[in-house]
Amino acid sequence: MDFGLIIRNALRAAFGDFAAVYALAAIGLNMHFGYTGLLNFGQAAFLALGAYGIGVTVTYLGLSLWVGIAVGIAAAVLFALLLGIPTLRLRADYLAIVTIAASEIVRFLVRSVTLSDYTGGSFGLSNFADQFYALNPLDGTQYGIGPIQYTGRQTWVLLVAWSLVALMTLLTYTLMHSPWGRVLKSIREDEDAARSLGKNVFVYKMQSLVLGGVIGALGGFMLAISIQSVQPDTYSTAITFFAYAILILGGTARVFGPVIGSMLFWSLLSLTDNVLRQAVNAGYIPPSILDGTQIGQVRLMLVGLGIMLLMIFRPQGIFGDREEIALDAR
Amino acid sequence: MRRTRSVLLLALIGLLVLGGGAAHAQQDEEGESIRGTIVQRPEEGEPVPVPGVEISVTMGGTEVEGSPVVTGEDGSYLLELPGPGDYSATLNQDTLPEGVQLTNPDRATLEFSLRPNQSRPLLFPLGEGRERGSQFVARAVQLFAEGIKFGLIIAITSVGLSLIFGTTGLVNFAHGELVTFGAIIAWTINVLLGIPLVPAGIIAMLVGGISGYLLDRGLWSPLRKRGTGLIAMLVISIGLSLLLRSAFNFQFGGRTRPFAQYAVQRAVDVGPFQLAPKDILSILLSVAVLVGVALVLQRTRIGKAMRAVADNNDLAESSGIDVERVIGFVWFFGAALATLGGILLGLAEQVSFQMGFQLLLLMFAGVTLGGLGTAYGALLGSLVVGLFVQLSTLVVSPELKNVGALLILILILLVRPQGILGSRERVG
Amino acid sequence: MPDNTATSTLDGIAHEPGVAKPDAVLVADSVVRRFGGLKAVDVEHAEFQRGAITALIGPNGAGKTTFFNLLTGFDQADSGSWTYDGKKLSGVPAHKVARRGVVRTFQLTKALSRLTVMENMKLGATGQSGESFLRALVPPLWKRQEKAIEARAEDLLERFKLDKKRDDFAGTLSGGQRKLLEMARALMVEPRIVMLDEPMAGVNPALTQSLLGHVKDLRAEGMTVLFVEHDMDVVRDISDWVIVMAQGRIIAEGTHEAIGRNQAVIDAYLGAHHDAPLTEAEERQQLEEADAQLAAEAQQEHAKP
């Protein structure tokens, strides 16, 4: 086994485009679930709306990518409003059901034949982000530190994506140290108490839903730009579940939780992926037990198991403080 | 003006739009071509390729070389085109076999453009076309019967979901996996061990029920004793769902597989409906089981205890009911029913690793519609959802039939969040 | 009890359900709330005297808390209306009721566990500009107000003897301390009417005295106090006026001496006695258990190096 390669890949994954995209998705979820207590299981839809916002605007309407970004954000805001108005007055578990249903509706629609003229059906859309790459100031071919190297193009994507992550983290920090953030947290703890103190709970929940959704859409932009394509099945519930795993891993209601969680999550996935792949190729694992195509399934199993174990044994995340979470149980 | 309106439309992605324009596809091969496969997709069973269908392609009004292309034995066609540009392809509907037609006869002609080196798939979906007048009524009646069948399956699977919620407060996102698990167990016993489906199904229900019971004892019961919060448990159930679904995919594979018996049956006329014997049996069995469920809930000690615990956990406990024992039974009972639902669904649509997960949202829709936590609400709500899913294909394309059901779920929550049979106090 | 204007103005008022008060701040008319077929609340007319402490008592299931929930916008009445200071209060959403100066506490204390005691307090202040999303992004816009709020919160914490806990998570407080915190937090809203739902439930006797003292202080500061209590003995010391509910209706009103002699009240309590106490006892037990657990956790915390 080539451990050097395995570690190199794990490190690359920690700083890669997926880590940044999912960090954004999880920052949004942290706003929803971590700070406001909203069980949003439709985060995938916000990413999809961001991604398709630029995809459809550029390829179907022939407008600029920047208009696409505005369209994507508008779509995320609108979706949050559509979703929030009927459901934010409901109990947490109803919200979970409705959001997951809504995100599947979005996926069904963008992959449908009916809308395929706009969205490209199950094939999706591609090559709409040239304007983004045209702005690339990096003309070198290779950038990086030591063993972690990226092409100029990748570096440009990563630079922008991680800047967005930093910006959104700063935003979260500022908001959560303000009276606004205090109201959000009080709603998470007990919305009736917040109400009895004169807070318009519905408005705050809506603001949180919109803000977290738009941050998710930013993740969608970066995902679509990074691979220059959108395909409907990328935006299945798996994105949402991964984002939850990341959030819990890094610690909910922690400003840096999503970022650390995402970097760890993707390097762990890369690690298991590479180790398994090499073990299969080297014949350490006989093909009757595991063949190459099944590695993806093993990895999903591990994510599922990881969510369960973390939630059961370390709900505070791997760095979190047990005490604060213990207060939650009552 | 047109453009602004388009932008607005785009902002409404995920809402209702229809129209024409350009689409995109993957680039696979050198040179420009169109390709595709003409298949008929019956409600049940494998898609059937349709050979001998003519598709003519024109550019600027003149037919291109090689047109019309005719589909082969496997229903596929491939036509090399002279170069990139705008084309129009027309499926000659007279060459379709008797009883087969385009899903949307208005879309027999497709306009498309080709980029350099693009091999573009063109889809001509076949199905039961749109009829009008008396045919529409006949079709509605037929869909009604299918809706009843489907709704009953949802009902059987969601009784457990609802009772588990009622007794423990857990919103079990892994309930769909109980359905899949049951179907896979039945399939294994039936196909791999060669035992006929009926005894295989009974064994599978036992295995499924016991697994449900063990799942509660091994996982959920300890979590309840630790005082794990309901939201934490919900997230854990999502992890469990992902774990199990991937494990099924790992073990069972990604393909859909039929049971050894009853896979293909010819539909027979039953009054105004056309149903396969297995569907009729499925409906009768579902009704019998659901009546049985109602009798158990209404008449037996354990059933009354289940309802009591679901109604008010503390009160039941203080009146001497062993709540944990009842919950264990609920899991056994719910998982066994989920297994049965999985088998019936497998009969209707074959067994796959994600059949349960795909059903989960409809189960939630049914349960929410009826009122979370009430057993009878789940029955009623599921029937409505099943009917709605099937009947909605009268007006929307079948690929969108679940969208309608999920939209209804959201609308119901808007109007009557407590569901049809739920009481207002259940909503926080 | 020291000289008190509210009590004296209520002298000579007829002891009958729905009687008019000389200076009623809160007036309710034909309020009905049904749960299924059961009329949980069915109040024809009720008036609450400004600046007085009014106790709402009655056996379990009498509809006291439901009536409270209706008045404060936490539940929707099937019919009926009520006014505050002559202005319609029925149909007003809960948060607006609070902003108008009618603030309530809850039977099961709602301390916001994962917020510190100080954050709990600061949350109570109304009209905070930093609570608007956009202004929250620019700290200089709200820092000064925040300081003022903090100063006010510190005064109140001192008064309620919670100042040493200011930076602890509210979830680590004992049951009694939570009750104190909730009351102090309610005062941060600067209310005109304070509605306390069983403020003494699950609180040890020593703390009960201190809580009663705080309730009297509220009146001394000119606030109107309404509180729900199921135990008649508790209301004796502090209430200027007692309203008795049973089966959703007001069955008696008067001073506590008069109520103690009222046959209808005695019947209601005795009649309700055999089917009521189970859940009550359970609730107490739960609260005690929670307290014990908290104490144990606190000890563990201290034991840590």
Side-chain angles (χ1 to χ4, degrees):
Chain A
M1 266 195 212
D2 183 351
F3 284 103
L5 180 72
I6 290 172
I7 289 169
R8 206 155 57 237
N9 280 341
L11 281 173
R12 276 175 58 91
F15 298 96
D17 49 355
F18 272 42
V21 165
Y22 278 81
L24 286 169
I27 290 171
L29 264 192
N30 202 20
M31 189 63 69
H32 295 153
F33 177 63
Y35 291 114
T36 326
L38 295 174
L39 265 183
N40 168 25
F41 274 101
Q43 190 69 348
F46 287 106
L47 275 86
L49 289 170
Y52 272 93
I54 53 177
V56 175
T57 307
V58 174
T59 46
Y60 178 71
L61 293 181
L63 297 176
S64 113
L65 180 69
W66 318 117
V67 177
I69 283 174
V71 169
I73 289 176
V77 171
L78 203 75
F79 183 68
L81 294 175
L82 278 177
L83 201 59
I85 289 168
T87 53
L88 285 181
R89 294 178 203 277
L90 302 174
R91 228 169 33 190
D93 40 11
Y94 279 96
L95 186 71
I97 296 170
V98 170
T99 47
I100 200 170
S103 89
E104 285 292 271
I105 290 178
V106 167
R107 187 172 65 91
F108 284 142
L109 285 177
V110 293
R111 85 191 300 279
S112 72
V113 176
T114 315
L115 290 181
S116 64
D117 290 337
Y118 306 94
T119 59
S122 53
F123 295 104
L125 305 167
S126 54
N127 294 321
F128 41 71
D130 295 340
Q131 272 181 299
F132 176 84
Y133 291 103
L135 287 185
N136 186 358
L138 308 166
D139 41 14
T141 49
Q142 198 84 338
Y143 293 88
I145 308 160
I148 321 169
Q149 294 292 332
Y150 302 97
T151 65
R153 219 174 132 83
Q154 282 173 325
T155 313
W156 172 229
V157 172
L158 292 180
L159 218 58
V160 174
W162 285 107
S163 303
L164 279 176
V165 171
L167 207 63
M168 291 304 122
T169 307
L170 181 69
L171 180 75
T172 311
Y173 179 88
T174 313
L175 285 173
M176 287 311 137
H177 287 81
S178 77
W180 187 82
R182 190 160 61 214
V183 178
L184 239 53
K185 287 186 250 179
S186 77
I187 292 169
R188 172 192 70 198
E189 297 298 308
D190 193 316
E191 58 175 85
D192 275 346
R195 216 168 264 138
S196 77
L197 298 172
K199 313 301 173 198
N200 190 343
V201 170
F202 181 75
V203 166
Y204 283 97
K205 281 181 168 181
M206 189 59 103
Q207 288 178 341
S208 165
L209 190 65
V210 169
L211 179 62
V214 168
I215 298 176
L218 297 183
F221 294 145
M222 290 323 296
L223 185 57
I225 286 172
S226 154
I227 54 179
Q228 273 268 37
S229 74
V230 283
Q231 274 168 337
D233 294 331
T234 313
Y235 301 94
S236 67
T237 48
I239 283 196
T240 308
F241 296 164
F242 279 21
Y244 265 93
I246 284 165
L247 186 57
I248 301 163
L249 188 67
T252 50
R254 278 167 200 287
V255 172
F256 286 101
V259 184
I260 294 165
S262 187
M263 293 171 76
L264 255 175
F265 180 84
W266 285 101
S267 51
L268 282 174
L269 270 197
S270 158
L271 205 70
T272 50
D273 217 48
N274 279 285
V275 167
L276 284 174
R277 220 168 275 283
Q278 291 206 19
V280 169
N281 288 345
Y284 298 135
I285 302 176
S288 57
I289 295 178
L290 181 69
D291 65 38
T293 58
Q294 288 175 316
I295 288 173
Q297 291 143 27
V298 171
R299 154 173 151 151
L300 284 177
M301 281 160 71
L302 290 174
V303 174
L305 189 65
I307 293 178
M308 289 178 71
L309 293 179
L310 271 172
M311 215 55 208
I312 294 171
F313 296 108
R314 284 200 75 82
Q316 73 278 31
I318 42 169
F319 303 116
D321 170 5
R322 179 109 212 165
E323 181 199 10
E324 190 177 340
I325 290 287
L327 300 173
D328 189 32
R330 61 196 64 252
Chain B
M1 185 59 204
R2 229 190 102 98
R3 184 145 283 188
T4 26
R5 205 178 288 164
S6 298
V7 174
L8 275 177
L9 270 182
L10 272 175
L12 279 160
I13 284 185
L15 295 183
L16 22 112
V17 223
L18 286 160
H24 296 262
Q26 288 172 322
Q27 284 167 269
D28 299 328
E29 297 158 40
E30 291 291 304
E32 298 78 23
S33 60
I34 55 162
R35 58 194 161 85
T37 309
I38 306 293
V39 287
Q40 189 193 0
R41 294 178 195 280
E43 286 281 308
E44 278 114 31
E46 298 283 337
V48 183
V50 184
V53 181
E54 277 182 19
I55 297 159
S56 50
V57 182
T58 58
M59 186 185 205
T62 49
E63 282 215 22
V64 300
E65 203 188 315
S67 169
V69 62
V70 180
T71 58
E73 274 309 302
D74 59 352
S76 72
Y77 67 89
L78 173 74
L79 181 60
E80 307 273 345
L81 293 174
D86 295 328
Y87 293 93
S88 155
T90 307
L91 183 139
N92 185 347
Q93 296 187 63
D94 298 336
T95 58
L96 288 171
E98 193 75 2
V100 178
Q101 48 184 315
L102 283 169
T103 313
N104 184 351
D106 304 335
R107 307 238 319 156
T109 300
L110 299 176
E111 312 276 347
F112 61 97
S113 44
L114 279 181
R115 291 193 302 269
N117 291 329
Q118 189 185 16
S119 172
R120 197 183 195 293
L122 285 187
L123 294 178
F124 291 98
L126 299 183
E128 335 248 333
R130 295 186 188 166
E131 307 97 353
R132 287 168 182 80
S134 64
Q135 265 189 309
F136 181 89
V137 174
R139 181 151 167 71
V141 168
Q142 176 69 18
L143 285 172
F144 182 82
E146 279 161 20
I148 292 280
K149 182 188 86 178
F150 191 46
L152 286 167
I153 293 177
I154 302 176
I156 284 182
T157 55
S158 56
V159 169
L161 184 68
S162 191
L163 277 175
I164 288 167
F165 175 82
T167 50
T168 66
L170 169 69
V171 178
N172 183 20
F173 271 79
H175 204 76
E177 275 58 48
L178 294 177
V179 174
T180 315
F181 179 72
I184 288 181
I185 292 294
W187 182 88
T188 308
I189 300 172
N190 175 234
V191 176
L192 298 186
L193 304 181
I195 294 171
L197 186 57
V198 174
I202 293 169
I203 300 170
M205 279 178 71
L206 267 176
V207 174
I210 291 168
S211 307
Y213 176 80
L214 292 178
L215 189 62
D216 181 55
R217 293 297 101 152
L219 178 68
W220 300 115
S221 172
L223 286 178
R224 282 196 298 277
K225 289 198 182 104
R226 280 169 54 150
T228 308
L230 291 178
I231 288 182
M233 291 220 267
L234 188 157
V235 177
I236 292 169
S237 83
I238 289 216
L240 180 65
S241 159
L242 191 59
L243 170 66
L244 292 177
R245 189 152 25 97
S246 318
F248 297 152
N249 189 2
F250 181 85
Q251 203 55 45
F252 187 74
R255 287 200 305 128
T256 65
R257 301 164 198 244
F259 287 116
Q261 293 93 34
Y262 319 113
V264 184
Q265 280 185 340
R266 192 163 285 281
V268 295
D269 286 329
V270 193
F273 317 118
Q274 281 201 324
L275 287 171
K278 64 175 178 183
D279 294 335
I280 299 165
L281 214 67
S282 168
I283 291 177
L284 292 179
L285 183 63
S286 306
V287 171
V289 166
L290 290 174
V291 169
V293 168
L295 284 177
V296 166
L297 286 176
Q298 216 61 43
R299 296 283 167 80
T300 63
R301 265 182 75 88
I302 188 75
K304 284 177 190 163
M306 282 187 328
R307 282 190 301 139
V309 175
D311 200 41
N312 187 334
N313 206 320
D314 295 336
L315 194 65
E317 181 133 40
S318 62
S319 50
I321 295 174
D322 181 350
V323 170
E324 277 296 308
R325 203 178 76 91
V326 172
I327 291 173
F329 195 83
V330 163
W331 271 91
F332 175 84
F333 193 66
L337 286 174
T339 301
L340 177 62
I343 296 169
L344 294 178
L345 191 64
L347 265 179
E349 299 176 351
Q350 300 199 351
V351 181
S352 88
F353 78 96
Q354 52 183 357
M355 58 192 288
F357 186 68
Q358 285 163 347
L359 196 68
L360 181 72
L361 287 177
L362 296 181
M363 281 154 56
F364 276 137
V367 167
T368 317
L369 193 57
L372 263 180
T374 62
Y376 297 122
L379 297 188
L380 190 62
S382 303
L383 264 182
V384 174
V385 168
L387 277 173
F388 186 84
V389 165
Q390 295 297 343
L391 286 174
S392 67
T393 60
L394 281 174
V395 276
V396 300
S397 108
E399 61 176 358
L400 293 179
K401 61 184 180 184
N402 288 349
V403 171
L406 298 180
L407 277 178
I408 281 292
L409 163 68
I410 295 173
L411 285 181
I412 285 289
L413 286 173
L414 183 66
V415 182
R416 197 177 155 83
Q418 69 274 33
I420 305 171
L421 295 186
S423 51
R424 187 161 146 189
E425 287 65 56
R426 284 193 181 279
V427 186
Chain C
M1 204 184 296
D3 165 51
N4 186 300
T5 47
T7 322
S8 45
T9 51
L10 286 169
D11 284 345
I13 305 279
H15 289 181
E16 57 191 37
V19 65
K21 309 293 186 304
D23 183 12
V25 64
L26 200 60
V27 181
D29 272 299
S30 344
V31 181
V32 176
R33 173 72 169 100
R34 289 188 190 83
F35 291 130
L38 185 80
K39 265 190 190 173
V41 169
D42 184 9
V43 171
E44 272 174 37
H45 186 80
E47 296 189 3
F48 299 91
Q49 171 72 5
R50 186 190 311 275
I53 299 179
T54 305
L56 195 58
I57 69 166
N60 254 352
K64 310 178 296 281
T65 297
T66 312
F67 188 40
F68 244 47
N69 288 345
L70 294 174
L71 291 181
T72 50
F74 278 84
D75 192 2
Q76 271 72 52
D78 292 303
S79 62
S81 64
W82 50 96
T83 58
Y84 161 55
D85 250 351
K87 280 182 230 121
K88 188 164 171 278
L89 196 65
S90 41
V92 175
H95 69 275
K96 287 199 178 144
V97 172
R99 286 187 199 165
R100 285 208 200 169
V102 182
V103 175
R104 59 143 339 150
T105 66
F106 296 87
Q107 188 176 356
L108 290 170
T109 340
K110 292 189 185 297
L112 306 165
S113 300
R114 283 181 292 168
L115 263 56
T116 64
V117 168
M118 181 47 98
E119 284 176 318
N120 263 274
M121 292 296 287
K122 287 197 281 194
L123 183 73
T126 49
Q128 300 189 46
S129 64
E131 286 184 356
S132 116
F133 173 71
L134 290 176
R135 260 170 290 186
L137 294 170
V138 192
L141 291 180
W142 48 263
K143 277 285 186 206
R144 266 194 33 204
Q145 191 188 24
E146 180 87 351
K147 283 231 167 64
I149 290 168
E150 200 162 323
R152 199 150 64 81
E154 271 178 23
D155 286 349
L156 274 170
L157 283 179
E158 211 168 312
R159 176 169 144 196
F160 282 83
K161 299 198 171 54
L162 288 168
D163 43 335
K164 289 194 184 62
K165 299 274 181 187
R166 77 183 290 257
D167 296 320
D168 292 2
F169 283 124
T172 62
L173 299 182
S174 74
Q177 285 171 327
R178 289 175 192 214
K179 289 272 179 199
L180 286 171
L181 174 60
E182 206 180 5
M183 203 184 286
R185 193 177 62 194
L187 294 185
M188 286 297 290
V189 186
E190 300 183 307
R192 299 310 307 150
I193 301 186
V194 181
M195 300 175 73
L196 307 166
D197 196 351
E198 301 217 16
M200 272 44 108
V203 175
N204 70 46
L207 204 57
T208 304
Q209 281 316 309
S210 134
L211 272 164
L212 289 177
H214 287 302
V215 173
K216 282 188 218 168
D217 288 346
L218 301 184
R219 178 181 59 192
E221 288 172 27
M223 285 174 234
T224 308
V225 181
L226 251 73
F227 73 98
V228 160
E229 185 54 62
H230 70 276
D231 187 348
M232 265 202 280
D233 293 336
V234 175
V235 308
R236 178 161 308 146
D237 293 343
I238 58 165
S239 50
D240 302 318
W241 193 256
V242 179
I243 296 179
V244 189
M245 285 182 76
Q247 290 166 338
R249 299 168 161 278
I250 293 179
I251 56 164
E253 277 195 43
T255 57
H256 61 83
E257 294 90 354
I259 290 298
R261 294 187 301 266
N262 185 312
Q263 193 54 44
V265 176
I266 295 165
D267 286 349
Y269 266 84
L270 290 180
H273 221 267
H274 50 280
D275 59 314
L278 235 181
T279 48
E280 190 61 37
E282 265 181 7
E283 191 169 86
R284 290 228 164 150
Q285 198 192 341
Q286 276 174 359
L287 277 170
E288 275 162 19
E289 276 169 6
D291 266 354
Q293 203 182 335
L294 269 177
E297 271 168 23
Q299 267 185 346
Q300 268 184 347
E301 213 46 49
H302 284 299
K304 270 191 198 161

